Amino acid sequence: MAPPTIRLNTGQQMPQVGMGTWKLDTATAADDIYNAIKAGYRLFDGACDYGNEKECGDGVARAIKEGIVKREDLFIVSKLWQTFHAKDKVEPICRRQLADWQVDYFDLFLIHFPVSLEYVDPSVRYPPGWFYDGESDIRVANVTNQETWTAMEGLVDAGLVRAIGVSNYQAQTLYDTLRYARIRPATLQVELHPYLQQTEIVRLAQAEGIAVTAYSSLGPASFVELDMDRAKSVTPLMGHPVIKAMADKYRKSTAQILLRWSTQRGMAVIPRASEPEFMAQNLACTSFDLDQVDMDRIAKMDLGLKFNQPTNVRGSPVCLPQDPKR
Ligand code: NAD
């Protein structure tokens, strides 16, 4: 059964459960996307920075060629990387990303992070990542979020994207955007799991008619993969006794409990999986309801613990200059 959809402020229906593509290996990404489409996924969450949009596009193209889906059945999301925030860089890079995905429009295009970095030409390095020199030099560019948002609106006008949104914004940045937006953000994508519940910004976004997409819903799992100390030092959410007890009670997996906790509160989720079993479980996460006692129990697990923060990965490509560990 297809998962429910969320109606965006553009009138589009966005699948509430999609698949993430961060860290999908370029060797397998095309098959992962193709298999996910066969399993019933319709929304894919990509980004320039993930370095696999061409391969994801190959998976989409194969599924369309074989008649499994049509382009209009899919909801493809991508993101603008920070080195392309200047107004004259937004459309060219969006066109390149569309070419990689082998489609002529994105359903949704997001500002990945509200911080602009100096331009790196794609012929020099693609994706450019955080460092100007590819190694250690962080160069912030003198581009405002307003300039970037106005250029994003231009993508809608040009028919290259159907909706635009933001990611990793906090309340202040979102408020500010709403002051000058001619086209309001359709979605806000943020890290969100029981250890980082983001209650205030979720309330703000939903009150403003902006749909919220939760990323890294399974919590530390994705960041243990990066060998991040902060993620390794907490109880894995999928192994947490409270979540395990609920998995037993509802006869679901712990991943499904975590995903249901967000979807039951009206948010979209985009878990990433390559394993067919995990793909199927995640897609079926809206097929049951947690009772209020369990929703409240999870609400008490908030630690304000953010994993996807540039300074959290020691010696990694996401290490800001002021980080003492650098
Ligand atoms: P995730 O929370 O989806 O966790 C992925 C990990 O959990 C993988 O190791 C996967 O194998 C495992 N997993 C998935 N389903 C499982 C299941 N049913 N049972 C057991 N294990 C399971 O992590 P994520 O990839 O960080 O987040 C999801 C997506 O969100 C990303 O792929 C990306 O598209 C998006 N994202 C966006 C941003 C942003 O800055 N906007 C940042 C991070 C992630």
Side-chain angles (χ1 to χ4, degrees):
M1 199 183 73
T5 56
I6 294 177
R7 189 175 193 278
L8 303 184
N9 59 18
T10 55
Q12 291 161 284
Q13 296 290 339
M14 180 176 81
Q16 196 177 12
V17 183
M19 193 167 98
T21 64
W22 183 34
K23 294 188 248 141
L24 284 187
D25 197 298
T26 50
T28 58
D31 286 342
D32 291 336
I33 300 295
Y34 173 79
N35 291 334
I37 292 174
K38 279 180 89 171
Y41 281 86
R42 295 295 177 262
L43 184 147
F44 295 97
D45 180 76
C48 152
D49 192 48
Y50 301 162
N52 57 14
E53 291 197 292
K54 172 79 178 64
E55 291 76 14
C56 291
D58 288 344
V60 165
R62 187 169 148 210
I64 291 176
K65 191 167 169 221
E66 291 183 11
I68 300 167
V69 282
K70 300 192 188 66
R71 167 64 186 96
E72 55 269 32
D73 299 329
L74 299 174
F75 194 104
I76 300 181
V77 185
S78 189
K79 309 187 191 85
L80 179 76
W81 186 243
Q82 289 150 269
T83 50
F84 305 109
H85 277 206
K87 60 181 177 223
D88 59 326
K89 301 294 185 283
V90 172
E91 183 174 325
I93 203 62
C94 180
R95 286 187 183 277
R96 179 198 166 133
Q97 292 179 251
L98 287 167
D100 282 351
W101 276 95
Q102 302 167 53
V103 296
D104 54 14
Y105 67 92
F106 287 127
D107 296 276
L108 176 64
F109 199 58
L110 309 177
I111 293 183
H112 203 149
F113 287 89
V115 176
S116 173
L117 297 176
E118 204 159 303
Y119 179 68
V120 175
D121 194 276
S123 66
V124 173
R125 195 175 58 256
Y126 192 86
W130 288 79
F131 296 125
Y132 184 73
D133 59 357
E135 289 183 11
S136 60
D137 185 13
I138 291 262
R139 291 201 194 172
V140 176
N142 199 15
V143 178
T144 64
N145 289 322
Q146 180 166 8
E147 173 177 332
T148 308
W149 188 255
T150 304
M152 295 281 283
E153 292 172 331
L155 299 178
V156 179
D157 298 338
L160 298 177
V161 309
R162 298 266 159 101
I164 49 180
V166 295
S167 179
N168 297 302
Y169 273 41
Q170 295 186 336
Q172 296 88 337
T173 359
L174 193 59
Y175 267 127
D176 192 53
T177 303
L178 293 174
R179 303 286 74 77
Y180 49 72
R182 173 170 62 85
I183 302 174
R184 289 165 68 85
T187 70
L188 165 72
Q189 187 181 120
V190 285
E191 178 180 340
L192 199 150
H193 43 73
Y195 289 155
L196 182 69
Q197 305 202 1
Q198 308 250 36
T199 315
E200 293 301 323
I201 190 147
V202 168
R203 194 177 300 141
L204 169 65
Q206 290 181 337
E208 292 286 349
I210 299 167
V212 177
T213 299
Y215 76 68
S216 302
S217 304
L218 307 178
S222 181
F223 302 91
V224 168
E225 290 173 344
L226 299 176
D227 201 28
M228 185 187 287
D229 290 343
R230 178 180 286 222
K232 290 189 294 183
S233 67
V234 291
T235 306
L237 274 172
M238 285 187 278
H240 194 289
V242 169
I243 305 297
K244 278 171 83 173
M246 289 182 204
D248 290 344
K249 173 174 163 183
Y250 295 96
R251 296 170 191 270
K252 300 289 172 190
S253 71
T254 51
Q256 287 176 308
I257 302 292
L258 295 167
L259 296 168
R260 188 57 185 141
W261 172 72
S262 283
T263 53
Q264 207 166 306
R265 294 188 302 145
M267 285 177 264
V269 290
I270 44 172
R272 165 188 38 107
S274 295
E275 305 78 356
E277 185 198 338
F278 292 167
M279 276 188 197
Q281 271 181 23
N282 298 346
L283 192 62
C285 74
T286 55
S287 63
F288 68 106
D289 285 333
L290 297 167
D291 64 33
Q292 196 54 46
V293 173
D294 290 328
M295 293 294 285
D296 294 345
R297 203 168 277 151
I298 298 179
K300 292 201 184 95
M301 292 172 66
D302 198 2
L303 299 175
L305 190 55
K306 190 170 185 354
F307 298 112
N308 194 34
Q309 190 154 297
T311 47
N312 277 354
V313 184
R314 204 180 323 135
S316 87
V318 283
C319 200
L320 293 175
Q322 66 270 29
D323 184 344
K325 293 193 281 312
R326 198 168 158 257

